[in-house]
Amino acid sequence: MTGHQQLQRRLGVFDATSIGLGSMLGAGVFVAFAPAAGLAGGFLVVAVLIAGAVAYCNAVASAELAARYPASGGTYVYGRKRLGEWPGFIAGWGFITGKSASCAAMALTFGNYVVPQYAIPVAVAAVVALTGVNLLGITRTALLTRVLLAVVLATLVFVAAASIVGPHPAGASLGVDASDAGADAGVPANLGGVLPAAGLMFFAFAGYARIATLGEEVKDPARTIPRAILAALAAAFGIYLVLALLLLNHLSPAGLAATATPLLDAVRNSSLAAGAPVVQAGAAAACLGALLALITGVGRTTLAMARERDLPGPLARVGGKHTVPFVAELAVAAVVILLLLTTDVMTVVGFSSFGVLIYYAVTNAAAYTLAEHPAHGPRWLNIAGFLGCLLLAFTLPAASVLGMAGVLTAGAAGRFMVLRFRR
């Protein structure tokens, strides 16, 4: 990266943890449980446990690599350094394309919650506003993330309270065993539905990648990044596990699978129903927080790929009063707005799960090559994480696998042609 203007190290452990947790408690917490319950039924908790286990493998690998290579770009950089240019490119391209679709979906979810009849214009306005926040510097991003995260956490506490006090329309039980898990009509109880559900739930955990992509802007990265990644993951895992148990108990597997707004329905079907607008406000804040962190992470990976000429060189420009990658940020915003205006982005959200899992498969492979490993992350954990990512990726719905595989293939073909032209 010699000759490139560097970003400034402004983030401490608390800021970095907030950004990671804000990403993991984004719009996914308000929608992910329903489709996962539709696949796993009463085994939803097992899916959360599997997703959490794979996420832990990936988080440890990310923390090790980010501490060693504290530069913007995350696994794109790690893959290049440890495995070669092609694995790094596949990881970076999968992250940028998959997460751009996620950005558009987050923005549209925000629009649907705030003003459903004008969802797309409101979504575009949100992208423009949050890009403006990012251009003001990473410390502004961290500050707004902390504010939005506080709102989301308060909302989740309220949902948990509503789920506990009931009344519980389905009369379900927290102790769902194998014989009871399929009792609700239309909800599969076989373990074959657990792995696809775990793949969906893993997508909700993947926010800790944002900490690694900000490696160039973190103070004392060897100490800060591992602590922030593991703290954010531990908090998110506890929250998702508790919510899964409470929602299964309160709504039943069938009721949970049948709703597009599980947390909102949990409140509406309780004695605290008057607080439903609180959940809507919390969902809006969650979408904004996740969108803010996603735009930041995609922009930094775009910057890293441009520095290595895997994307157009002008995207590597850093400047302005707050030393931000302003060209990359503006380019990401333009792509997201284009997706909002031209596609039904809600149908492509599943594609990003495949891209993210391939991204983390490269992360684990890169971490495996390190000579030293911490006690909480032995080398065999990298093998488990690599295999876990591939298993979850290829058990996702076929449309998701084929769609993102096509995007990855197109990107690789484009890079191959560019390299041949340069010769």
Side-chain angles (χ1 to χ4, degrees):
M1 294 188 294
T2 303
H4 295 295
Q5 184 176 355
Q6 301 299 295
L7 304 178
Q8 296 185 14
R9 299 192 183 280
R10 303 176 185 269
L11 300 177
V13 174
F14 185 73
D15 286 332
T17 302
S18 296
I19 289 175
L21 186 56
S23 301
M24 284 186 271
L25 296 182
V29 75
F30 290 87
V31 297
F33 289 110
L39 291 167
F43 291 124
L44 173 63
V45 173
V46 179
V48 174
L49 291 172
I50 293 173
V54 175
Y56 177 76
C57 296
N58 301 339
V60 170
S62 296
E64 291 180 72
L65 291 162
R68 186 180 179 93
Y69 302 105
S72 290
T75 298
Y76 170 70
V77 173
Y78 316 149
R80 285 179 65 92
K81 295 286 187 181
R82 308 300 307 185
L83 303 173
E85 293 184 1
W86 276 106
F89 174 81
I90 292 298
W93 183 244
F95 183 85
I96 287 176
T97 53
K99 291 302 184 180
S100 293
S102 295
C103 286
M106 298 286 183
L108 188 59
T109 302
F110 171 75
N112 284 331
Y113 266 93
V114 177
V115 189
Q117 59 270 40
Y118 299 105
I120 293 179
V122 171
V124 171
V127 172
V128 172
L130 294 182
T131 300
V133 171
N134 279 336
L135 294 178
L136 291 176
I138 192 63
T139 54
R140 274 53 168 203
T141 300
L143 175 61
L144 182 54
T145 299
R146 287 201 303 269
V147 172
L148 294 173
L149 178 59
V151 174
V152 173
L153 289 174
T155 303
L156 296 182
V157 169
F158 181 73
V159 171
S163 299
I164 291 171
V165 301
H168 310 304
S173 171
L174 283 173
V176 180
D177 61 29
S179 61
D180 298 330
D184 296 284
V187 180
N190 62 74
L191 290 177
V194 170
L195 290 179
L200 292 179
M201 291 307 304
F202 172 81
F203 174 74
F205 281 113
Y208 50 80
R210 242 65 76 228
I211 301 172
T213 61
L214 299 174
E216 197 172 316
E217 295 162 276
V218 172
K219 302 174 186 176
D220 190 9
R223 170 182 173 273
T224 298
I225 293 175
R227 291 188 178 190
I229 287 178
L230 295 176
L233 177 61
F237 177 72
I239 290 169
Y240 276 111
L241 187 60
V242 169
L243 284 176
L245 287 166
L246 292 177
L247 291 172
L248 284 174
N249 177 59
H250 183 47
L251 298 178
S252 82
L256 181 56
T259 175
T261 55
L263 273 63
L264 185 58
D265 278 11
V267 173
R268 284 175 171 167
N269 287 288
S270 76
S271 58
L272 302 181
V278 173
V279 180
Q280 292 176 294
C287 293
L288 289 179
L291 179 59
L292 181 65
L294 276 171
I295 292 174
T296 304
V298 176
R300 268 56 177 183
T301 302
T302 301
L303 165 72
M305 295 185 73
R307 283 173 169 173
E308 301 293 347
R309 299 180 68 197
D310 277 336
L311 288 177
L315 293 170
R317 291 178 183 170
V318 174
K321 178 181 177 182
H322 303 286
T323 60
V324 294
F326 65 97
V327 178
E329 295 277 5
L330 292 173
V332 171
V335 170
V336 174
I337 290 171
L338 182 65
L339 288 172
L340 284 168
L341 296 176
T342 60
T343 64
D344 179 10
V345 295
M346 297 307 289
T347 64
V348 301
V349 174
F351 300 165
S352 66
S353 293
F354 185 84
V356 170
L357 286 161
I358 296 300
Y359 175 90
Y360 281 113
V362 175
T363 304
N364 282 284
Y368 180 81
T369 67
L370 295 173
E372 297 181 358
H373 296 267
H376 63 272
R379 178 170 286 181
W380 64 262
L381 202 67
N382 302 142
I383 299 175
F386 177 81
L387 295 176
C389 285
L390 294 183
L391 178 63
L392 294 186
F394 287 98
T395 53
L396 285 166
S400 298
V401 175
L402 294 175
M404 185 51 72
V407 171
L408 292 175
T409 301
R415 183 175 191 269
F416 178 78
M417 296 303 297
V418 169
L419 291 177
R420 292 201 61 178
F421 177 77
R422 286 176 183 166
R423 293 174 185 170

